[in-house]
Amino acid sequence: MFRINENYLQLNESYLFSAIARREEKFSALHPEANIIRLGIGDVTLPLPPSVIKAMHKAVDEMAEKETFRGYGPDQGYGFLREKIAEIDFRQRGTDISPDEIFVGDGSKSDTGNITDILGEDNIIAITDPVYPVYLDSNVMRLGNSSKIMLLSCGEKNGFLPEMPSQRPDVIYLCYPNNPTGTVMNRTQLKQWVDYALENKSLILFDAAYEAFIRDREIPRSIYEIEGAKKCAIEFRSFSKNAGFTGVRCSYTVAPKALAARTAAGGEVLLNSLWNRRQSTKFNGAPYIVQRAAEAVYSPEGQQEVGEMVAYYMRNAEMIREGLTQKQWTFFGGENSPYIWLKCPGGMDSWTFFDRLLEERHIVGTPGVGFGSKGEGYFRLTAFNSHDKTAEAVKRIKGWEL
Ligand code: PLP
């Protein structure tokens, strides 16, 4: 009999969003008249910007002509997009990243999940708690529920930032602005992690999927703004949230050429080459049409349009923050992030608060405990709905006798 990868059986079975959907469906069946507002799932709601749509149409037309048709593209992404990314996301912001350090992908979920392919199985992996579940699950898939996975607890007393680990990890996942807590790391805090990684020869996997939501100029938008980070960090970026690409699928990963690892035999190997090898073996590149769409994000009109989209969502975050402030509830995030991390009032646990918010206010959010045990007692609200629905949800919460 063939064998399966039994580590899969150790994964947390009930996926958070299906558990939420089940409860919502049950409630809707009993109360079909209820006008439910969803401030739960982190999907965007605004349509793609006009310049992106225009670029996609043009690319589709190119595919219809013999002279301009494209088949297999470069596995790492087309030069036209890698150059724009290097220039606009990095060089113009004072960081020197070259196009061949950029790998265009089909989503940060894939890349943050697949990066484990190039890492040895002996590594001690540090993951924050609460956390975006992909980092944890992708490691459980290869290691099982192993003692090599070390959870860095992030609690309220530390502003939901992890404390420096007591035992040295080889690999550290960091995500700022953070999903789910909406918290950010300032330059000094991020520098501490970069210095720690350099000193301990650890690798930082830095997920910057929400960098576009940073308003505060003092908050680094890329880990490479910190000196030395090119020697210790891989960064993941996505077009999903800033440009509405959740259904189109495009992202990129930065693997700097200065980032080297030691082999067991004492040799040196570049992570850039390893990731290149992994991608060219298992990934055919993001579609041409999609990469032209992503390129349009960097045009002057595209930059203007995505800026407006982000501002739209951040206005929602502001509305939620204002409402919760008036309610005198404790919360984090929402200033440089589309996520607001709320402390469940009255010491309620996450699922009790979920049920009461749904039943009494007809609002769906995400129970914090779904992101890890340290999320218990907290709740995530997102800024990705419309102004009208967000305003209505805030009104319902403000008028809640709780
Ligand atoms: N990283 C974080 C922290 C996320 O919250 C998400 C999506 O919600 C992703 C990555 C995945 O992004 P993508 O749509 O690029 O796969």
Side-chain angles (χ1 to χ4, degrees):
M1 184 65 181
F2 64 89
R3 301 286 297 270
I4 56 157
N5 176 350
E6 299 215 359
N7 294 332
Y8 275 64
L9 307 180
Q10 297 183 35
L11 292 165
N12 198 347
E13 211 189 314
S14 158
Y15 186 58
L16 177 63
F17 292 105
S18 44
I20 293 174
R22 270 201 308 278
R23 286 184 192 223
E24 192 188 322
E25 268 167 39
K26 196 170 150 205
F27 178 80
S28 286
L30 290 172
H31 305 278
E33 74 298 340
N35 171 18
I36 296 175
I37 300 177
R38 289 175 192 84
L39 298 184
I41 297 180
D43 198 358
V44 293
T45 51
L46 291 174
L48 289 166
S51 54
V52 166
I53 293 293
K54 203 166 132 199
M56 285 177 97
H57 278 303
K58 183 162 174 272
V60 169
D61 288 340
E62 284 177 47
M63 289 300 215
E65 302 296 329
K66 217 172 173 179
E67 297 71 33
T68 47
F69 165 78
R70 311 269 183 143
Y72 285 125
D75 303 317
Q76 305 76 6
Y78 283 98
F80 61 76
L81 179 56
R82 298 170 90 193
E83 274 154 30
K84 287 271 163 47
I85 293 170
E87 179 59 28
I88 295 175
D89 282 351
F90 295 98
R91 284 200 206 112
Q92 286 186 8
R93 291 188 190 151
T95 314
D96 190 20
I97 293 290
S98 64
D100 58 359
E101 295 176 305
I102 289 161
F103 295 82
V104 177
D106 64 3
S108 289
K109 185 182 191 174
S110 321
D111 285 3
T112 54
N114 291 330
I115 198 75
T116 53
D117 274 14
I118 65 166
L119 301 176
E121 289 189 356
D122 291 339
N123 290 312
I124 303 287
I125 312 282
I127 297 176
T128 59
D129 177 6
V131 75
Y132 171 59
V134 172
Y135 318 147
L136 182 61
D137 287 354
S138 55
N139 278 289
V140 172
M141 282 174 181
R142 67 187 188 117
L143 303 172
N145 275 328
S146 161
S147 58
K148 289 180 200 135
I149 302 174
M150 170 199 232
L151 294 180
L152 303 177
S153 95
C154 300
E156 197 172 324
K157 91 171 183 331
N158 214 21
F160 285 98
L161 297 180
E163 284 178 20
M164 288 295 157
S166 46
Q167 178 201 352
R168 176 196 165 274
D170 298 288
V171 180
I172 305 160
Y173 285 82
L174 295 178
C175 169
Y176 295 96
N178 188 261
N179 177 16
T181 65
T183 50
V184 285
M185 264 195 198
N186 65 28
R187 215 166 288 279
T188 314
Q189 289 157 336
L190 192 54
K191 185 174 179 320
Q192 277 173 2
W193 284 95
V194 169
D195 290 347
Y196 180 94
L198 290 171
E199 208 177 297
N200 289 283
K201 301 199 179 344
S202 307
L203 170 69
I204 296 179
L205 298 174
F206 190 75
D207 187 345
Y210 298 97
E211 62 78 33
F213 295 83
I214 295 175
R215 318 267 89 179
D216 183 341
R217 285 175 183 276
E218 293 309 308
I219 307 292
R221 293 181 65 161
S222 163
I223 196 164
Y224 305 119
E225 288 178 34
I226 311 293
E227 206 187 326
K230 280 204 253 176
K231 291 202 171 110
C232 66
I234 289 180
E235 180 165 299
F236 305 92
R237 296 268 193 113
S238 172
F239 294 96
S240 282
K241 308 296 163 92
N242 65 332
F245 275 49
T246 52
V248 175
R249 313 301 311 144
C250 198
S251 64
Y252 65 87
T253 290
V254 186
K257 283 182 284 180
L259 180 51
R262 290 249 159 243
T263 62
E268 200 181 73
V269 56
L270 299 187
L271 266 68
N272 179 285
S273 317
L274 283 187
W275 185 243
N276 189 28
R277 191 71 178 85
R278 190 268 168 209
Q279 290 298 80
S280 38
T281 303
K282 294 195 184 177
F283 183 61
N284 265 323
Y288 173 72
I289 297 163
V290 166
Q291 293 192 56
R292 282 294 185 198
E295 183 194 22
V297 168
Y298 294 100
S299 65
E301 309 81 64
Q303 292 280 284
Q304 167 87 20
E305 289 160 4
V306 295
E308 284 164 12
M309 276 169 70
V310 170
Y312 180 93
Y313 294 130
M314 289 311 283
R315 173 69 197 119
N316 290 342
E318 208 177 295
M319 279 193 256
I320 298 173
R321 286 175 53 83
E322 278 166 13
L324 299 182
T325 305
Q326 280 185 30
K327 197 93 189 123
Q328 297 188 320
W329 284 357
T330 306
F331 64 89
F332 300 81
E335 278 176 299
N336 293 291
S337 147
Y339 296 123
I340 289 107
W341 186 243
L342 159 72
K343 184 172 189 169
C344 301
M348 244 182 279
D349 67 69
S350 299
W351 278 110
T352 304
F353 184 72
F354 174 92
D355 288 334
R356 289 196 60 184
L357 189 65
L358 175 60
E359 282 159 23
E360 298 172 32
R361 297 286 98 179
H362 304 171
I363 298 169
V364 175
T366 314
V369 70
F371 299 99
S373 64
K374 297 290 182 228
E376 180 56 286
Y378 295 87
F379 201 78
R380 193 191 74 174
L381 295 174
T382 85
F384 288 122
N385 214 316
S386 66
H387 284 340
D388 287 354
K389 287 196 174 158
T390 306
E392 169 60 24
V394 170
K395 197 168 127 206
R396 288 184 196 173
I397 290 175
K398 283 207 300 206
W400 197 10
E401 297 286 333
L402 192 72

